[in-house]
Amino acid sequence: MRLTGTDDTDIALDQYGQPVVGEDGDVRLVSEEDCWIQDVWMEMLTEEGELLHEDEEGRWAYGFGYGTVLNGLDSEEANEEIYARTREKLTKRDYIEPDSIKTSITAPDRKGRRTLRVTYSPLDAEKEVNKDIRIDGAEVTIE
């Protein structure tokens, strides 16, 4: 499997993973930085081993597996595993500054939902990318 690179182009996806269609009826595209940022959040929503033709394991496997982690561990263990997994998965992308990777996770609310905030910066860029991920035990969604 090949990770999305800094010069790639792909179909633009909305927050639900559905293709974005323009007013002209054509599917919209994303490229370069927007493309790899989209690929990162799609990987965050994916469980390891979920893709049909995946042949990698561990760090190089596609998918962060947040749902699996949170369903199997108590809060402290889950927080540590999420931090380690996020760092491991993001550092395989050579266009993300490793020292910029930060995570924070809220305690479960009354319905057992948590919000994970992942922050990172592209190399040679002054901006930060923030993604809030809602994890409710059954589903992982990007907010």
Side-chain angles (χ1 to χ4, degrees), residues 15 40-42 44-45 131-134 140-143:
Q15 68 202 46
V40 168
W41 68 258
M42 290 305 295
M44 289 177 178
L45 295 174
K131 291 293 176 194
D132 287 337
I133 301 152
R134 174 64 57 104
V140 178
T141 56
I142 299 284
E143 295 185 331

Side-chain angles (χ1 to χ4, degrees), residues 44-48 64-73 82 85 133-140:
M44 289 177 178
L45 295 174
T46 305
E47 294 294 315
E48 282 187 6
F64 281 42
Y66 287 140
T68 302
V69 171
L70 288 175
N71 286 329
L73 300 172
I82 284 172
R85 192 171 289 209
I133 301 152
R134 174 64 57 104
I135 305 162
D136 71 4
E139 186 174 48
V140 178

Side-chain angles (χ1 to χ4, degrees), residues 9-20:
T9 299
D10 200 356
I11 295 170
L13 301 174
D14 67 15
Q15 68 202 46
Y16 305 106
Q18 299 301 309
V20 175

Side-chain angles (χ1 to χ4, degrees), residues 37-76:
I37 288 173
Q38 175 178 279
D39 187 58
V40 168
W41 68 258
M42 290 305 295
E43 185 178 7
M44 289 177 178
L45 295 174
T46 305
E47 294 294 315
E48 282 187 6
E50 191 173 346
L51 302 180
L52 290 176
H53 299 289
E54 176 66 71
D55 59 355
E56 302 289 345
E57 295 180 8
R59 177 179 187 221
W60 293 102
Y62 193 86
F64 281 42
Y66 287 140
T68 302
V69 171
L70 288 175
N71 286 329
L73 300 172
D74 69 31
S75 292
E76 189 57 37

